[in-house]
Amino acid sequence: MKAIISAACAAVLLLSGCETTKTTQNSVTFKTDKYRRVTSVILAKPSGSEVMDASLKRAVLSRFHTIVPRPLPNRTYTQPLVLVTPTTLEDYTRGDLKKTN
């Protein structure tokens, strides 16, 4: 039992310095037309990557009718988002470059 606890403590200690994810606060705004169809999806803070933003918009649009089962006509809905992205190797190297400059 001591060995298991020691191994778990060592793993926690080793991994505590590793940031594995980043979270970002964002929101998305949906607008509906007179037929209750979603006409636009707008991110409050675009990522800067058109491909990533389009993918995120498709994902939140696919969940819209789960969140709002009966949307009203000509309405604007805002949904807060918390984006969780895994840290990549590029994130670590960018951090190292900032430290050396």
Side-chain angles (χ1 to χ4, degrees):
M1 187 67 168
K2 271 186 172 180
I4 293 172
I5 294 173
S6 296
C9 289
V12 168
L13 181 64
L14 290 172
L15 294 175
S16 64
C18 299
E19 182 182 338
T20 56
T21 59
K22 293 185 292 186
T23 59
T24 306
Q25 300 291 325
N26 204 341
S27 66
V28 63
T29 302
F30 301 95
K31 291 187 179 184
T32 59
D33 63 7
K34 65 182 179 179
Y35 302 109
R36 301 178 179 186
R37 294 180 299 204
V38 177
T39 57
S40 70
V41 180
I42 302 167
L43 293 172
K45 297 181 221 171
S47 68
S49 166
E50 289 183 30
V51 174
M52 185 183 290
D53 289 347
S55 175
L56 181 58
K57 286 178 182 180
R58 281 192 305 274
V60 295
L61 183 59
S62 70
R63 303 245 330 134
F64 176 73
H65 288 287
T66 304
I67 298 166
V68 185
R70 293 189 186 116
L72 298 174
N74 299 318
R75 208 52 104 145
T76 299
Y77 297 90
T78 302
Q79 176 68 38
L81 298 174
V82 176
L83 304 175
V84 179
T85 55
T87 303
T88 62
L89 180 60
E90 289 81 13
D91 293 330
Y92 283 117
T93 55
R94 264 187 259 139
D96 290 341
L97 290 174
K98 288 179 187 174
K99 290 177 187 174
T100 58
N101 290 337

